[in-house]
Amino acid sequence: MFQDENVYCVMDTETTGLNPFFGDRIVEVAIVPVYKNKIVEKWIYHSLVNPNVKIPALTQKIHGISNSEIEDAPCIENVISTIRAYAKNTIFVMHNANFDLSFIDFATKEIGKFPIDFRYIDTLEMCQVIYGKKRSLESLISEFKLGTKVPHRALQDALLTAKVFIKLTEIIGSSNLPEFVKKWGG
C-alpha cells in the first residue's frame, strides 16, 4: 500500500504585474503546507514584500495591495530565504507554476543568490490529465464548492489552491502524484 509521506507546500504570489523581465516584482507570498491531504495551519507562511518599485494603480485594483501597505514589509531577500527553507525536502504546488516560479527565480538572481531547486506539481497539469484540458482556479473552486471567486490575495489563493489540490489528489490518487512532480532548476 502506498503511503504518501511528502509535505506539499502550496505557494501563491501576488506581483506588480505579469512579467519580471519588464520590471514587475513580487509584493506578497503565501505558503500553505499540506501533509497527508490535510492543511497544516501551524506551518503556514504569509508575508507582504516591499518590491522597491511602485504598484501600478490598475494592479492595486486587482489584488488590493497598496503602496503604503508594502512600505514597511520585508525585502525580497528575507522572503526568499524563507521560501528556500520551505523548499528543502518538500514538493511545491502551484496553479500555473511557471508564473510564480519565474518571479521567484528572477528575484533570487536579482539579489545575487543561486536559484532555488524546486520540486513541484502544477495543478494545471493535473487538470489536463483529469479533465483533458487546463482549468482556471475559479472554475475548480466553483466545481468543488469552495467559493465563487479567486480573491487575488496570496494567502487566500494559496488556501484555495491547497483545497483544490487535495480534491484533485483524491480524484487522481496520491499514488499517482509522483508522475506530476517536476524539477525547476532556475
Side-chain angles (χ1 to χ4, degrees), residues 28-75:
E28 187 178 34
V29 174
I31 299 171
V32 176
V34 173
Y35 180 66
K36 294 190 176 183
N37 262 9
K38 297 206 179 342
I39 293 170
V40 185
E41 291 189 18
K42 67 181 179 180
W43 295 346
I44 291 174
Y45 171 76
H46 171 250
S47 181
L48 288 172
V49 179
N50 185 336
N52 294 312
V53 297
K54 293 287 182 203
I55 303 171
L58 181 60
T59 305
Q60 286 182 53
K61 286 182 181 177
I62 294 168
H63 53 50
I65 301 169
S66 69
N67 286 303
S68 61
E69 284 180 88
I70 56 160
E71 240 171 52
D72 298 324
C75 65

Side-chain angles (χ1 to χ4, degrees), residues 123-133 135 140 168:
T123 52
L124 273 178
E125 292 177 14
M126 291 177 78
C127 289
Q128 187 74 44
V129 170
I130 294 168
Y131 301 102
K133 63 180 180 179
R135 299 270 310 271
L140 292 165
L168 294 174

Side-chain angles (χ1 to χ4, degrees), residues 2-4 6 8 91 121 125-126 129-130 165 168-182:
F2 178 79
Q3 186 68 1
D4 190 353
N6 289 306
Y8 297 91
I91 299 169
I121 293 174
E125 292 177 14
M126 291 177 78
V129 170
I130 294 168
F165 173 67
L168 294 174
T169 300
E170 289 168 0
I171 293 168
I172 212 151
S174 59
S175 63
N176 292 314
L177 284 178
E179 294 176 36
F180 293 96
V181 177
K182 292 188 170 181

